[in-house]
Amino acid sequence: DEELFAKAADDSILQPATLLAQAERLLDDPRSHEMLAHFSRQWLDITGLGNTPKDSEIYPQYNAGVLEAMTEETARFVRHVVFSGSGSLPELFTAKYTLTNQTLAEYYGLEGGGGQDFAITDLEGTPYGGILTHGAVMSQHAFGDSSSPIHRGVMVRERILCQELPPPPPGIIVQVPEPDPSLTTRERFKAHSENEPCLSCHQLI
């Protein structure tokens, strides 16, 4: 708005106190709720959720309704932490609750859910907690037939820790290990983290 343009034009926005005051003012604007949801989708790189088809035999319940609910879960969770919760990174990354509707709660195998509406859903006693365990994040940064510690590790390094990773060495052939029911995903990718030329990057992710 004009107030913000004016403070940008005279460089007063560069003063920490002014910047903080303007940020707080903008968060009081109702439009900030949708902008915050948009930011979270960009930040976590989940805007293309659904672009990678999932194997319907492995994930038979993964459908458009679940995808839509996953996207909404993350948007509502971020808004809840910022506007109703502590507004802190610890809550964002470790909260033992999320927001689900009935469709998503059933897909996750959780008790609760708000029918068609979204409601706070307890995660105590589950391995889940915080935004990085949301279905949208886990699903987007994965393969069509399995999870991917590589994709997720890159996302955390670049999107959360703001550390740019070097490109793969020239001529390297990246061969993704075939799914093996006798091995965990971590075991399948173990060689990537132990042997050159993969080691230099994969030890970071």
Side-chain angles (χ1 to χ4, degrees):
D1 57 13
E2 289 305 315
E3 179 177 340
L4 196 59
F5 276 123
K7 293 188 180 301
D10 65 14
D11 286 343
S12 62
I13 194 67
L14 299 178
Q15 299 170 8
T18 302
L19 182 61
L20 179 60
Q22 288 299 310
E24 290 177 340
R25 181 178 70 84
L26 292 174
L27 285 171
D28 283 336
D29 189 313
R31 292 174 296 178
S32 67
H33 286 242
E34 180 50 40
M35 289 304 297
L36 189 63
H38 176 71
F39 165 77
S40 67
R41 291 191 292 269
Q42 295 285 330
W43 174 46
L44 297 168
D45 193 21
I46 58 174
T47 54
L49 187 63
N51 289 349
T52 300
K54 299 294 182 182
D55 188 316
S56 60
E57 291 188 8
I58 298 174
Y59 306 109
Q61 296 176 309
Y62 191 85
N63 57 42
V66 169
L67 281 173
E68 182 180 352
M70 285 178 173
T71 302
E72 189 66 18
E73 171 195 21
T74 299
R76 288 174 180 260
F77 175 77
V78 171
R79 287 199 297 260
H80 179 84
V81 170
V82 171
F83 295 110
S84 302
S86 66
S88 68
L89 287 174
E91 183 174 359
L92 196 68
F93 288 117
T94 66
K96 292 301 290 184
Y97 70 86
T98 188
L99 285 92
T100 66
N101 62 3
Q102 197 65 39
T103 297
L104 197 57
E106 290 177 359
Y107 183 79
Y108 288 161
L110 299 172
E111 295 291 332
Q116 293 302 310
D117 296 324
F118 280 74
I120 292 178
T121 305
D122 187 20
L123 295 177
E124 290 294 342
T126 77
Y128 308 111
I131 200 167
L132 294 183
T133 64
H134 279 197
V137 176
M138 302 287 274
S139 176
Q140 175 72 0
H141 302 286
F143 297 114
D145 60 358
S146 69
S147 61
S148 174
I150 306 305
H151 284 79
R152 293 170 184 169
V154 169
M155 186 276 290
V156 169
R157 277 283 174 181
E158 295 185 341
R159 299 285 177 155
I160 308 299
L161 301 178
C162 301
Q163 298 171 347
E164 186 173 345
L165 292 168
I172 188 173
I173 299 176
V174 180
Q175 184 64 46
V176 177
E178 290 294 327
D180 184 338
S182 68
L183 297 175
T184 66
T185 303
R186 182 183 295 273
E187 289 168 340
R188 284 172 54 215
F189 283 90
K190 188 176 182 181
H192 285 68
S193 303
E194 293 183 344
N195 304 315
E196 290 292 3
C198 302
L199 171 63
S200 56
C201 287
H202 284 253
Q203 66 182 349
L204 299 174
I205 57 180

